[in-house]
Amino acid sequence: MQLPIKPRTLQMLKRSLEHPVIELALSRHKMAFISGPSQCGKTTMAKAILCGEGIYYNWDNLKFRKIWNSSPELMAETALAKKVPQLGLDEIHKYKFWKRTLKGFFDEYGDKIQILVTGSARLNIYRKGGDSLMGRYLLFRLHPLSFAEALQIPPHDIQRFSNYIEGGFPKQNLDPQIIKSVQTNLIKF
């Protein structure tokens, strides 16, 4: 059920939001909500922030859903046993009563566990009126790679560079000749 989190490798780009998430939210005992479009790197960034110490759960995992619905304190016990108690919850907003459950969990463990929540752009909807989580979290919006982030891509990594040219998203289809031409011209520039 828990997914192993590997420390950052050289292949992973450091995203510009990582530092603000850690400094503005997690280090100040607030939950960090990271929203954004599909495939922009929310989960990858969350795992990088948790950097091997934290525990990561995805709502699409049936075992996680059962534990979250019946006894979320089991996750807290597991997180508290770590050197740095961190918990990553991905796509939890798919659960009908996610705010109520997360509020209770945070009120009980928020001063002991750093909590990072990732999800689609739908997380933005929950900022409007009557938010029971008000004051407990900061919302961060992750976009596809910025130009500054793209500069971290090694020139020989054509696939990753092509992802940036295509808008920062993976799995896009663009003519490889166009990508190579743009990359060659950019390197010359």
Side-chain angles (χ1 to χ4, degrees):
M1 174 186 22
Q2 292 179 52
L3 300 178
I5 300 171
K6 299 176 184 166
R8 179 186 301 281
T9 62
L10 292 176
Q11 294 84 1
M12 293 173 62
L13 300 178
K14 183 164 179 62
R15 300 301 304 267
S16 58
L17 264 187
E18 286 182 34
H19 183 73
V21 165
I22 293 166
E23 292 300 316
L24 298 176
L26 299 179
S27 68
R28 296 179 181 179
H29 301 289
K30 288 195 179 282
M31 289 182 285
F33 283 17
I34 302 171
S35 72
S38 178
Q39 299 292 311
C40 74
K42 298 178 299 290
T43 299
T44 301
M45 187 179 87
K47 289 179 179 181
I49 290 170
L50 299 174
C51 64
E53 288 296 325
I55 299 167
Y56 169 82
Y57 295 99
N58 186 306
W59 184 254
D60 295 331
N61 182 296
L62 183 60
K63 289 180 183 177
F64 164 60
R65 286 197 307 255
K66 287 180 181 177
I67 291 174
W68 184 255
N69 286 325
S70 62
S71 52
E73 63 274 358
L74 293 176
M75 290 181 299
E77 291 171 13
T78 306
L80 289 168
K82 298 283 189 175
K83 182 179 177 183
V84 178
Q86 296 175 317
L87 184 62
L89 303 171
D90 194 11
E91 300 291 340
I92 197 168
H93 64 280
K94 292 179 180 178
Y95 173 50
K96 184 177 181 180
F97 303 110
W98 74 277
K99 288 197 308 182
R100 179 176 60 197
T101 306
L102 187 58
K103 177 186 180 294
F105 186 88
F106 180 79
D107 288 349
E108 181 70 26
Y109 302 105
D111 59 335
K112 302 173 195 90
I113 300 173
Q114 295 177 350
I115 302 170
L116 195 146
V117 178
T118 60
S120 70
R122 286 182 23 189
L123 279 177
N124 291 338
I125 294 169
Y126 303 109
R127 295 174 59 190
K128 298 177 181 159
D131 190 346
S132 64
L133 294 170
M134 194 63 69
R136 294 172 173 86
Y137 70 94
L138 292 177
L139 178 65
F140 299 89
R141 175 91 172 145
L142 186 66
H143 298 280
L145 293 179
S146 68
F147 183 70
E149 291 167 337
L151 290 176
Q152 298 176 58
I153 301 171
H156 64 277
D157 195 340
I158 294 171
Q159 181 57 51
R160 291 178 80 195
F161 188 81
S162 70
N163 289 345
Y164 175 68
I165 297 297
E166 298 166 31
F169 294 101
K171 299 177 184 165
Q172 300 282 337
N173 294 318
L174 188 63
D175 185 339
Q177 291 177 333
I178 294 172
I179 293 168
K180 185 67 175 171
S181 172
V182 169
Q183 184 181 33
T184 302
N185 290 325
L186 251 167
I187 291 170
K188 287 177 184 176
F189 177 70

